[in-house]
Structures are given as structure tokens and as C-alpha cells.
Amino acid sequence: MRVVDSHLHLWDPWTLEYDWLEGPMAARFAEDELFEEQLPGVTEEVSVFVQAGTVERAFLDEVAWVESVADAAGVVAITAGARLDSGAATAEHLERLAAHERVIGVRHLLQDEPHGTASSPAFVDGAKLVAARGWTFDACVRAEGISDVTALADAVPELRVVLDHLGKPRVGTDAAPLRPSAEWLRDVHELAARPLVHAKLSGLPAEAGGRWAEAQLTPFLDAALEAFGPERLMWGSDWPVSSFDTAYQPGGRARWFRFVDSWAQSRGVSSDGLFWSTPLAFYGIR
């Protein structure tokens, strides 16, 4: 079995500056730590690195650092950090990113931005520059922000967008699970009506606080399948973020992989598509 992990984070707070890492997360998670979390029964494994929340002034430094560990970590592509609403500064930043051959897309982290940010004129202008380069955009929002991603997809219909973590729905915990809300279901289906938008089966363990049950999360995967169809879904580990509860939990990446693989088989979803060909095609990885 071949696997592209479409959502991998690496970080090193002794090399780069982050303003969100604290407690047990404020440690190095890079090639050596990832080696201990290889997936079981996989013949070939590569990853797409997704920017890990460095401070803005370190966006380019993060790309350079990831490049330095990429071969050892199996990273074949980089989704770099970028602000898309900064006009000429955005254009200059994208030009500098283009000097790095592994960069295939960007992420402007939207989850803490005011509603409407992604559909603002300045942001749309930046997104058009991304699309013009043939790059992708990772949309990381909380559930209430999914409609903003839909507005962006309408404003820049040529932009290939992927919804990270299914839009971070409220899933509850293993002890007190929540069903998919009517609002989340409505917004996911509306977004999925845009044909270039994909979605990642990723991040739900983190939304559950690291303690999750298969029966708890299955309805969210089923809803994503109904909305996007199997051809626009891809798997991502969200490692190491989704391997934490109160502390780092070794084996969390493999557990999520086994669960999604089992779910896919039970639903007749092609493992080769979900884990390999869809992310390769979306990100334009050769």
C-alpha cells in the first residue's frame, strides 16, 4: 500500500519562532520523531508538509528548515505560510516562495481571522496570484468559517482549495460524543458543490481533545463522503497535533491511519485514491 500523508507538521522551537506552542507541544517534532511513527503495512510513504504556525516573519525560514530535513522526513511538497491580504507584500512573498522547488501551495491560517477575511478584496487578489502560479490553497477554518471558504471559491473559481480537518466540526469527546450539526452539514455540502474544492480526512482526533472513539467520528467521515464523493477526499495525519491529549501519545498517527483505512474499505472507497492518487493529483506532485 502506498500513502501520501497530505497534512504533516514538523517543528523545532529551538530553530524557529512560534507563538502557540506550549506545554508538551513545545518540543522538537521532526525527522527523528517521525521515524518512530511510520505507518504499518505501508510500502511507500511520503508527506506534504503544511505550515506549522511560525510567526509571520519566519515563514520563509520555515520553508528553508523543512527543506533541510525533507529527504530524511519523506517530505515531497510544502504548503508554505503566507498572508494573502497584504497587497504588494503578498506578491513579493509568493515570488520568494517560488524559488523553493518543493513549495506547491500556501496556507493563510484563517481559523482565528475575522469572518469575511477570505472573501475580502485584498485576500481575493492574493488568492488570484496563488491560482495564477498553479498552486493550491489549504483552508483551515473552524466550522462557522466554512461559508467564508465557499465565498472564496466563488470569487476565485480557478483556485484549487482543500478544506483542512473537515472544517473542524464539533465532535465532542469519546465519553460525550456529538453528532454532526445541521449547520456544519449544510455548509460542507454547499462548499462541496464547488468542483475544485477537496477535503482532508484529518484533524478530528485533535478536535476531540486527543481522546476519540471510532463510532464517534464515523458519522463525520460518512458526511464528507456524501458531500465530496470519494474522488475529492484525501487522508492526512495532522501529526503531531492530533497525537496529543494532555501529553504526546505515541502511535496516534498509526491509529488514525488504520481507522480511516478500515472505514474506507467498509464504504467501498478506493484506498489507492484516498491515500495516494488524489493527494498527488490535487497538489500536482509528480
Side-chain angles (χ1 to χ4, degrees):
M1 183 178 183
R2 302 175 298 174
V3 173
V4 176
D5 184 344
S6 72
H7 203 96
L8 180 79
H9 298 299
L10 305 168
W11 61 68
D12 184 352
W14 287 274
T15 301
L16 298 166
E17 185 179 353
Y18 309 81
D19 58 11
W20 68 278
L21 295 177
E22 59 184 13
M25 280 192 173
R28 188 179 193 271
F29 288 91
E31 72 279 18
D32 293 339
E33 294 75 17
L34 182 61
F35 181 79
E36 301 298 325
E37 296 291 340
Q38 294 179 87
L39 301 175
V42 171
T43 58
E44 184 176 357
E45 179 185 335
V46 297
S47 297
V48 177
F49 168 83
V50 177
Q51 63 95 210
T54 63
V55 296
E56 184 179 345
R57 61 181 172 273
F59 283 168
L60 286 164
D61 293 333
E62 180 180 50
V63 170
W65 174 73
V66 172
E67 287 178 328
S68 75
V69 302
D71 288 342
V75 171
V76 295
I78 294 173
T79 297
R83 284 208 67 89
L84 296 188
D85 55 359
S86 298
T90 292
E92 180 183 355
H93 182 66
L94 296 180
E95 186 66 27
R96 295 178 71 182
L97 287 176
H100 299 269
E101 64 179 15
R102 279 187 171 91
V103 172
I104 44 71
V106 298
R107 183 168 81 160
H108 176 137
L109 195 59
L110 290 168
Q111 63 184 21
D112 295 320
E113 296 276 22
H115 184 71
T117 294
S119 54
S120 68
F123 196 101
V124 167
D125 286 345
K128 289 179 177 177
L129 295 177
V130 174
R133 292 185 176 276
W135 287 355
T136 60
F137 179 71
D138 266 61
C140 186
V141 295
R142 295 188 173 88
E144 57 272 17
I146 295 174
S147 61
D148 206 18
V149 181
T150 303
L152 173 64
D154 285 342
V156 193
E158 68 275 22
L159 180 66
R160 287 176 290 142
V161 176
V162 62
L163 181 66
D164 292 347
H165 315 326
L166 298 185
K168 295 194 165 188
R170 294 172 181 83
V171 300
T173 65
D174 58 346
L178 295 175
R179 299 285 299 178
S181 70
E183 294 79 11
W184 177 78
L185 289 168
R186 176 199 65 210
D187 290 346
V188 163
H189 276 264
E190 182 69 15
L191 178 61
R194 279 65 187 171
L196 290 189
V197 179
H198 289 56
K200 290 183 182 179
L201 305 183
S202 63
L204 297 188
E207 296 309 299
R211 298 179 181 273
W212 56 277
E214 295 183 1
Q216 171 195 3
L217 300 185
T218 294
F220 295 89
L221 303 191
D222 286 342
L225 178 60
E226 181 182 356
F228 287 92
E231 68 282 352
R232 288 190 288 149
L233 296 177
M234 63 187 82
W235 176 81
S237 70
D238 189 35
W239 186 85
V241 178
S242 280
S243 292
F244 280 91
D245 47 34
T246 56
Y248 180 68
Q249 300 298 324
R253 183 171 183 256
R255 183 189 174 203
W256 179 244
F257 165 72
R258 286 193 298 265
F259 165 55
V260 176
D261 184 36
S262 176
W263 168 85
Q265 293 182 41
S266 72
R267 301 302 190 264
V269 174
S270 165
S271 292
D272 190 68
L274 180 65
F275 291 100
W276 187 256
S277 61
T278 297
L280 288 181
F282 175 80
Y283 282 112
I285 301 169
R286 302 289 183 260

